[in-house]
mmCIF file of all heavy atoms in Angstrom:
data_model
loop_
_atom_site.group_PDB
_atom_site.id
_atom_site.type_symbol
_atom_site.label_atom_id
_atom_site.label_comp_id
_atom_site.label_asym_id
_atom_site.label_seq_id
_atom_site.Cartn_x
_atom_site.Cartn_y
_atom_site.Cartn_z
ATOM 1 N N LEU A 100 3.309 -3.170 -8.940
ATOM 2 C CA LEU A 100 4.681 -3.017 -9.418
ATOM 3 C C LEU A 100 5.332 -1.842 -8.706
ATOM 4 O O LEU A 100 4.785 -0.735 -8.721
ATOM 5 C CB LEU A 100 4.673 -2.754 -10.930
ATOM 6 C CG LEU A 100 6.037 -2.410 -11.542
ATOM 7 C CD1 LEU A 100 6.945 -3.638 -11.518
ATOM 8 C CD2 LEU A 100 5.860 -1.906 -12.970
ATOM 9 N N THR A 101 6.495 -2.078 -8.093
ATOM 10 C CA THR A 101 7.262 -1.027 -7.420
ATOM 11 C C THR A 101 8.529 -0.776 -8.223
ATOM 12 O O THR A 101 9.220 -1.726 -8.591
ATOM 13 C CB THR A 101 7.597 -1.463 -5.980
ATOM 14 O OG1 THR A 101 6.373 -1.595 -5.256
ATOM 15 C CG2 THR A 101 8.496 -0.444 -5.288
ATOM 16 N N LEU A 102 8.808 0.498 -8.505
ATOM 17 C CA LEU A 102 9.962 0.858 -9.330
ATOM 18 C C LEU A 102 11.000 1.578 -8.482
ATOM 19 O O LEU A 102 10.690 2.568 -7.808
ATOM 20 C CB LEU A 102 9.514 1.777 -10.477
ATOM 21 C CG LEU A 102 8.471 1.161 -11.421
ATOM 22 C CD1 LEU A 102 7.993 2.210 -12.425
ATOM 23 C CD2 LEU A 102 9.031 -0.059 -12.147
ATOM 24 N N ILE A 103 12.234 1.085 -8.507
ATOM 25 C CA ILE A 103 13.341 1.758 -7.822
ATOM 26 C C ILE A 103 14.019 2.689 -8.816
ATOM 27 O O ILE A 103 14.418 2.253 -9.900
ATOM 28 C CB ILE A 103 14.361 0.736 -7.282
ATOM 29 C CG1 ILE A 103 13.698 -0.161 -6.230
ATOM 30 C CG2 ILE A 103 15.591 1.436 -6.705
ATOM 31 C CD1 ILE A 103 14.594 -1.295 -5.748
ATOM 32 N N VAL A 104 14.098 3.971 -8.425
ATOM 33 C CA VAL A 104 14.743 4.986 -9.278
ATOM 34 C C VAL A 104 15.636 5.869 -8.390
ATOM 35 O O VAL A 104 15.465 5.877 -7.164
ATOM 36 C CB VAL A 104 13.688 5.870 -10.004
ATOM 37 C CG1 VAL A 104 12.853 5.036 -10.966
ATOM 38 C CG2 VAL A 104 12.801 6.605 -9.008
ATOM 39 N N PRO A 105 16.552 6.637 -8.992
ATOM 40 C CA PRO A 105 17.322 7.585 -8.174
ATOM 41 C C PRO A 105 16.368 8.534 -7.459
ATOM 42 O O PRO A 105 15.349 8.928 -8.022
ATOM 43 C CB PRO A 105 18.178 8.330 -9.204
ATOM 44 C CG PRO A 105 18.283 7.383 -10.352
ATOM 45 C CD PRO A 105 16.966 6.662 -10.400
ATOM 46 N N LYS A 106 16.673 8.899 -6.223
ATOM 47 C CA LYS A 106 15.743 9.734 -5.451
ATOM 48 C C LYS A 106 15.986 11.217 -5.670
ATOM 49 O O LYS A 106 17.112 11.632 -5.961
ATOM 50 C CB LYS A 106 15.827 9.383 -3.977
ATOM 51 C CG LYS A 106 16.908 10.098 -3.179
ATOM 52 C CD LYS A 106 16.759 9.766 -1.700
ATOM 53 C CE LYS A 106 17.591 10.701 -0.822
ATOM 54 N NZ LYS A 106 17.051 12.062 -0.736
ATOM 55 N N ALA A 107 14.922 11.999 -5.511
ATOM 56 C CA ALA A 107 15.043 13.464 -5.527
ATOM 57 C C ALA A 107 15.449 13.933 -4.136
ATOM 58 O O ALA A 107 15.271 13.223 -3.145
ATOM 59 C CB ALA A 107 13.710 14.086 -5.924
ATOM 60 N N ASP A 108 15.988 15.163 -4.053
ATOM 61 C CA ASP A 108 16.449 15.696 -2.765
ATOM 62 C C ASP A 108 15.318 15.824 -1.746
ATOM 63 O O ASP A 108 15.557 15.774 -0.539
ATOM 64 C CB ASP A 108 17.104 17.071 -2.964
ATOM 65 C CG ASP A 108 18.438 16.964 -3.702
ATOM 66 O OD1 ASP A 108 18.997 15.840 -3.727
ATOM 67 O OD2 ASP A 108 18.896 17.973 -4.263
ATOM 68 N N CYS A 109 14.078 15.995 -2.232
ATOM 69 C CA CYS A 109 12.951 16.195 -1.292
ATOM 70 C C CYS A 109 12.609 14.941 -0.506
ATOM 71 O O CYS A 109 11.910 15.009 0.507
ATOM 72 C CB CYS A 109 11.719 16.692 -2.049
ATOM 73 S SG CYS A 109 11.050 15.496 -3.231
ATOM 74 N N VAL A 110 13.087 13.779 -0.932
ATOM 75 C CA VAL A 110 12.771 12.530 -0.215
ATOM 76 C C VAL A 110 13.720 12.383 0.971
ATOM 77 O O VAL A 110 14.934 12.307 0.792
ATOM 78 C CB VAL A 110 12.903 11.299 -1.140
ATOM 79 C CG1 VAL A 110 12.590 10.016 -0.379
ATOM 80 C CG2 VAL A 110 12.000 11.448 -2.360
ATOM 81 N N PRO A 111 13.183 12.355 2.203
ATOM 82 C CA PRO A 111 14.066 12.294 3.375
ATOM 83 C C PRO A 111 14.832 10.967 3.440
ATOM 84 O O PRO A 111 14.295 9.922 3.039
ATOM 85 C CB PRO A 111 13.117 12.405 4.566
ATOM 86 C CG PRO A 111 11.757 12.622 4.032
ATOM 87 C CD PRO A 111 11.765 12.388 2.564
ATOM 88 N N PRO A 112 16.051 11.011 3.958
ATOM 89 C CA PRO A 112 16.876 9.785 4.031
ATOM 90 C C PRO A 112 16.208 8.645 4.799
ATOM 91 O O PRO A 112 16.454 7.488 4.498
ATOM 92 C CB PRO A 112 18.137 10.258 4.763
ATOM 93 C CG PRO A 112 18.177 11.735 4.591
ATOM 94 C CD PRO A 112 16.771 12.201 4.433
ATOM 95 N N ILE A 113 15.351 8.970 5.769
ATOM 96 C CA ILE A 113 14.728 7.891 6.559
ATOM 97 C C ILE A 113 13.859 6.991 5.676
ATOM 98 O O ILE A 113 13.700 5.805 5.942
ATOM 99 C CB ILE A 113 13.913 8.479 7.740
ATOM 100 C CG1 ILE A 113 13.472 7.366 8.684
ATOM 101 C CG2 ILE A 113 12.743 9.309 7.265
ATOM 102 C CD1 ILE A 113 12.848 7.844 9.982
ATOM 103 N N VAL A 114 13.321 7.549 4.588
ATOM 104 C CA VAL A 114 12.471 6.762 3.683
ATOM 105 C C VAL A 114 13.307 5.747 2.912
ATOM 106 O O VAL A 114 12.852 4.632 2.625
ATOM 107 C CB VAL A 114 11.731 7.698 2.694
ATOM 108 C CG1 VAL A 114 11.018 6.893 1.608
ATOM 109 C CG2 VAL A 114 10.750 8.589 3.429
#
Side-chain angles (χ1 to χ4, degrees):
L100 173 69
T101 296
L102 300 174
I103 297 174
V104 296
K106 86 173 194 72
D108 290 341
C109 65
V110 179
I113 190 171
V114 171

